[in-house]
Amino acid sequence: MMRALFIAAAVVVLLVGVGLFAFLHFPLRAVDEPGAFETRAATRAKHVLVRRASRSGIPPAPTDRQASLVEGDKVYGVDCAACHGVDGHKPTDAGRWMYPRAADLTSKEVQSYSDRELFWIIKNGIRLSGMPAFAKVESDEHIWDIVFHLRTLPAGSKK
């Protein structure tokens, strides 16, 4: 029994030591791009958390899709183009130098979110990512307008 307790204590001390070493050597600077593992892990975690958060509290989308698309183009130009670029594909200098970088809104990763998930992201933002919350700036209808507009951006578009 004493031997098992000693081994367990040694394992705990070793794990704490490894964890502390990793924590103290974690690169905090935003100059370097993250590695493939960090990118995959963060992206997967973000998708899971957004999916869970968007399950409730999302208002219904406007029914007039055409009017929503027209308004969405305008609202996107005011609220989103400053970082994501006018075409949603090529970020501006401000978007390129954020960490993480402003997302390519035409990418497979972004377009894989459901409309409800995109609504949630735009309304609530993503903490520690540079993506602000627009809940206090735009109405729910305008946020839906942006979601619909994002669906019209073809990959690599030149707007």
Side-chain angles (χ1 to χ4, degrees), residues 31-89:
V31 173
D32 303 322
E33 291 291 329
F37 174 76
E38 182 181 350
T39 300
R40 276 194 310 272
T43 299
R44 184 70 189 130
K46 181 175 60 174
H47 274 272
V48 168
L49 294 171
V50 168
R51 184 174 305 120
R52 188 188 75 200
S54 66
R55 287 183 186 158
S56 63
I58 305 294
T63 54
D64 186 352
R65 188 85 173 223
Q66 266 321 107
S68 199
L69 285 172
V70 170
E71 191 63 26
D73 184 50
K74 293 176 196 170
V75 178
Y76 175 89
V78 171
D79 291 342
C80 311
C83 294
H84 295 282
V86 175
D87 63 0
H89 175 67

Side-chain angles (χ1 to χ4, degrees), residues 91-137:
T92 63
D93 285 344
R96 274 194 307 276
W97 299 118
M98 283 183 189
Y99 180 78
R101 313 298 175 232
D104 174 353
L105 301 176
T106 67
S107 71
K108 185 177 174 182
E109 187 223 325
V110 171
Q111 292 292 322
S112 72
Y113 284 108
S114 72
D115 288 351
R116 293 173 60 86
E117 291 167 341
L118 287 173
F119 179 94
W120 188 92
I121 290 169
I122 296 165
K123 183 169 184 161
N124 297 287
I126 302 288
R127 188 181 303 268
L128 302 176
S129 76
M131 175 60 196
F134 285 94
K136 294 182 179 180
V137 178

